Amino acid sequence: MNIFTELATNNSQPKKKHGDTWKSQIEKAKNKFGSAIEEVRAPGDYPTDVPIFFVKKESVVEFLRYLREEPDFGYHFLADMTATDEGGEPRFEVVYNLCSPEKGPRIRVKTRVAENESVPTLTGLWKGADWAEREIFDMFGIRFEGHPNLRRILMDYRWEGYPLRKDYPLDGYQLFPDAEPPDPERLK
């Protein structure tokens, strides 16, 4: 069984297998980053399959770089990046799912973002963050400061609003019957 097969199943019991590693990593990260870590939710204490670090947005790139480059962590693979609309204040959470292909464990980092705030881009750390950040921008309207090409990636460029926000109307479809071909300059 390879690492990716194991991660994809519920029967691998990750807490039992990686619990000691996670406990050590949580302590090391807390010691290094202190108040930049707002909260940690660990398996067993919360209904989660991996540890979740809530990190202040100003420190999230430095924190993720540490998780990637520190030998005791080795989370080299940005497996997924998404966002959620929590509906409260701050309204959004940007979610980074990391994996250590060499060692096996996964970890999740979240940063809270208020309406009309931006988050630093991760494109300098992981090139693969480019499209994920564009998708988050397109679906939620969260901006990524320093992103090289932040524009819509899924929705038509004329689309108004952000369809994965909780306040987006369920019947919020939009038609463009008199649509002309897009101006190539606008799409750059």
Side-chain angles (χ1 to χ4, degrees):
M1 178 183 297
N2 70 32
I3 182 70
F4 295 105
T5 305
E6 179 182 322
L7 293 175
T9 66
N10 289 329
N11 296 327
S12 64
Q13 300 177 348
K15 181 180 182 270
K16 187 175 182 181
K17 186 170 185 176
H18 303 297
D20 292 336
T21 300
W22 285 332
K23 186 182 255 186
S24 169
Q25 290 175 344
I26 289 169
E27 287 308 311
K28 286 179 184 176
K30 282 181 175 181
N31 289 336
K32 172 123 176 102
F33 286 91
S35 64
I37 298 173
E38 298 173 326
E39 178 184 0
V40 178
R41 296 181 183 172
D45 299 334
Y46 288 89
T48 179
D49 59 341
V50 297
I52 304 171
F53 287 89
F54 288 83
V55 178
K56 292 180 181 176
K57 67 184 184 86
E58 298 80 19
S59 302
V60 73
V61 174
E62 181 185 353
F63 185 77
L64 290 166
R65 180 176 283 115
Y66 177 77
L67 294 181
R68 187 182 83 168
E69 295 175 1
E70 177 63 32
D72 291 340
F73 290 80
Y75 292 99
H76 302 285
F77 180 50
L78 177 64
D80 187 29
M81 189 175 162
T82 189
T84 60
D85 182 348
E86 297 298 311
E89 198 51 47
R91 181 172 183 175
F92 303 105
E93 291 179 355
V94 177
V95 182
Y96 309 90
N97 292 302
L98 306 176
C99 176
S100 174
E102 296 86 10
K103 299 176 183 178
R106 296 177 299 140
I107 203 164
R108 185 170 299 127
V109 176
K110 294 184 177 188
T111 191
R112 295 176 172 121
V113 185
E115 184 81 43
N116 298 319
E117 285 186 343
S118 64
V119 178
T121 185
L122 284 186
T123 55
L125 199 54
W126 283 288
K127 288 185 180 186
D130 182 331
W131 282 51
E133 289 177 353
R134 287 179 61 190
E135 181 179 4
I136 293 167
F137 166 70
D138 201 2
M139 297 289 105
F140 292 94
I142 300 170
R143 296 195 167 275
F144 291 87
E145 188 176 318
H147 191 282
N149 188 16
L150 193 62
R151 61 185 168 96
R152 289 201 181 267
I153 193 169
L154 299 172
M155 306 304 292
D156 187 279
Y157 72 96
R158 298 162 291 184
W159 194 270
E160 293 179 17
Y162 305 101
L164 291 184
R165 288 185 175 204
K166 287 187 176 181
D167 58 1
Y168 193 81
L170 292 177
D171 62 350
Y173 59 88
Q174 298 173 27
L175 301 175
F176 308 105
D178 300 329
E180 294 183 27
D183 177 9
E185 289 300 310
R186 184 171 179 190
L187 297 177
K188 289 184 179 176

